[in-house]
Amino acid sequence: MRSIARAVLVTVLVVFVAFVAFSYMSGTPSWRFPGTNPPAGSVGTTGSINAEKAKQAGAEVGEKVGIAAAKVGQAVDEATLTSKIKAKMVLDDSIKARSIDVTTNGTTVTVSGFVRSVDEHDRALRLARETAGVTQVVDRLKVESR
């Protein structure tokens, strides 16, 4: 009795999967009756297209994508400058890089935080200024007083 129920269930499942696969492959939902129209507001390929409106929408989208790409490019450039400067500081034994923050806005770099000495202060600023792509360095470093 169980094996018969299992066989019926498997058969129904196979028929259902075949039905869905056929509907998908044919591109026409088989569960709709012939001659019925798609629901209102549905998206399809029938109807007319206003070419001028489509060109205008495409131009607007293209412009927005261009602006977004430029912003992403600028953010990547800023992150690259920041990373280069921080890497230089980490590799320099005379600088305690963990206590120094580096932020970049365009080609202007701001160096802030605390340093242990005037020499460390000067070295950190020099590393930032010597980095290719940096046009200005804003000094917000403070020398810790002991």
Side-chain angles (χ1 to χ4, degrees), residues 51-133:
E52 194 56 41
K53 211 174 191 184
K55 286 180 186 177
Q56 183 180 3
E60 290 172 5
V61 168
E63 184 179 344
K64 289 178 182 177
V65 168
I67 291 169
K71 287 181 181 178
V72 168
Q74 181 180 0
V76 168
D77 292 344
E78 291 173 355
T80 301
L81 281 178
T82 301
S83 298
K84 285 180 183 178
I85 295 167
K86 282 299 280 187
K88 286 180 174 184
M89 289 181 182
V90 167
L91 294 173
D92 194 307
D93 291 336
S94 64
I95 296 178
K96 187 176 175 186
R98 288 182 298 162
S99 60
I100 299 174
D101 293 321
V102 178
T103 55
T104 307
N105 185 4
T107 58
T108 301
V109 173
T110 302
V111 183
S112 59
F114 294 94
V115 291
R116 297 168 292 186
S117 67
V118 173
D119 289 338
E120 184 179 3
H121 170 273
D122 294 343
R123 180 70 179 147
L125 293 179
R126 192 173 328 116
L127 289 175
R129 286 187 183 110
E130 291 172 353
T131 303

